[in-house]
Amino acid sequence: MYEKERAQSSTHFTFGISVDCVVFGFDGSDVKVLVIKRGTEPYLNFSAIPGDLVHEQEDPLDATKRVLNELTGLKDIYLEQLKAFAGVNRHPLGRVVTIAYYSLIKISDYNPQPSSWATDATWTSIQDIEEMAFDHFEIFSSALNRLQERVRLRPIGFELLPEEFTLAELQYLYEKLLDQTFDKANFRKKILSMDLLIPLEKMQKAVRHRPARMYRFDSNRYADLTKKNFHFEL
Amino acid sequence: MYEKERAQSSTHFTFGISVDCVVFGFDGSDVKVLVIKRGTEPYLNFSAIPGDLVHEQEDPLDATKRVLNELTGLKDIYLEQLKAFAGVNRHPLGRVVTIAYYSLIKISDYNPQPSSWATDATWTSIQDIEEMAFDHFEIFSSALNRLQERVRLRPIGFELLPEEFTLAELQYLYEKLLDQTFDKANFRKKILSMDLLIPLEKMQKAVRHRPARMYRFDSNRYADLTKKNFHFEL
DNA sequence: TAATAAAGTGTTAAAAAAACACTTTATTAG
DNA sequence: CTAATAAAGTGTTTTTTTAACACTTTATTA
């Protein structure tokens, strides 16, 4: 019953451990996910979520950061574990338990990396995701659900926007993430009343109408407020 | 990069997979967790969360149900995966990745099982949990956090109560789970307005004051409402 | 029969959310 | 230079929800 005494005994089977990471981005119009195309069997030519096997002496979180860096060239990405997917037959070639993560990136920071396998990574709108290799569609769905819950209770939407953004862009992002609309005046009042946004002198450029003010998310302020028992909500 | 082609190659290392399950109960006064006492090294005599290694051809969810059944004699328990804990050095005797679950049971249904290892399982109040074997305290904390978030957004508190309960019992449970108090009149109005409770003819027994009406959670009604886009909240 | 202890209800005040109309302003077309 | 435009940005009212708190009811027990 205790896990430890058997850890090296015959009940210690051979499992493969992998990580898979659902990478979300926002291009200003749609919420997207980074999807790769498989080049080998099984599931040849199927879409899949980027991932890799975890090395023998590697923390899965580090493995995910490694994959993400190879894929996007980025470090210090917002990253959360979703959960493990570990069904007996989820992998046709053996027992592989995968630990799924999701991450949020600023899509403008993304630069396709010239690695052998990553050149065919493409941003796909979340409503266009369909069939995928292994149980990756299930992983994607879980990640999207989790993100939708999370984004209402934590100020993580900003991870998907440029450092500086307008209130209209922020509102539009939330509308796309949550698949609902908001009243402009009410949305502004709510988000500004939280006192989490720093208004900048800078104004929106290259639009053919009145330019909007740019804002920046104040993460220090959020940290302070959190200590004072403030809770972000939508 | 793809997980499949390496699944049987030399990069397929030997990991042990275990499950651990944080079992919550409510005795009418306190929210409790089922804790076992370890009888072997490492962490001899430390408190720990019940768990076991996952068999070679076993789904971790099934493994958890097996552990739970051996421990409590119960089946069909409310059970959710929390997440995987997989740090390189979390287990002193080898690489063991554990998938953590939490479950909610009606404490009155619990019967200590006479298995060799389970006789020393004890219900411990959540505020009394301290040092634990491995990273089990961290697992416990995560599970409690998750439960506190979950219980506000899903009608899962009822899993901890007897089938039939009074509104005062329900209120008291929520107060203990969330560590806050509620106004009696307002709590009643809110919970009854959701139309999720069936009032019974039966009244509370053996109290030395006016007996309260008993209620039952209407899970069919909840399923219906959910289809109509109803969202439970606190 | 009266005291009790908690069950259960009603009312009001305050705050938050929703609805919606309006004003402002940089840009561009004429 | 002026007017039309298109979206930015604000103000007001109504409705709903939450919070506070006092009160009434009723089975039990002394």
Side-chain angles (χ1 to χ4, degrees), chain A residues 1 4 38 40 51 81 84, chain B residues 1 4 38 40 51 58 81 84:
Chain A
M1 184 61 191
K4 43 69 191 147
R38 288 180 60 82
T40 51
Q81 189 192 131
Chain B
M1 186 61 192
K4 44 67 187 138
R38 288 181 59 82
T40 51
E58 188 181 35
Q81 189 192 133

Side-chain angles (χ1 to χ4, degrees), chain A residues 12-24:
Chain A
H12 198 204
F13 302 113
T14 300
F15 288 85
I17 303 285
S18 64
V19 291
D20 287 301
C21 188
V22 181
V23 183
F24 290 98

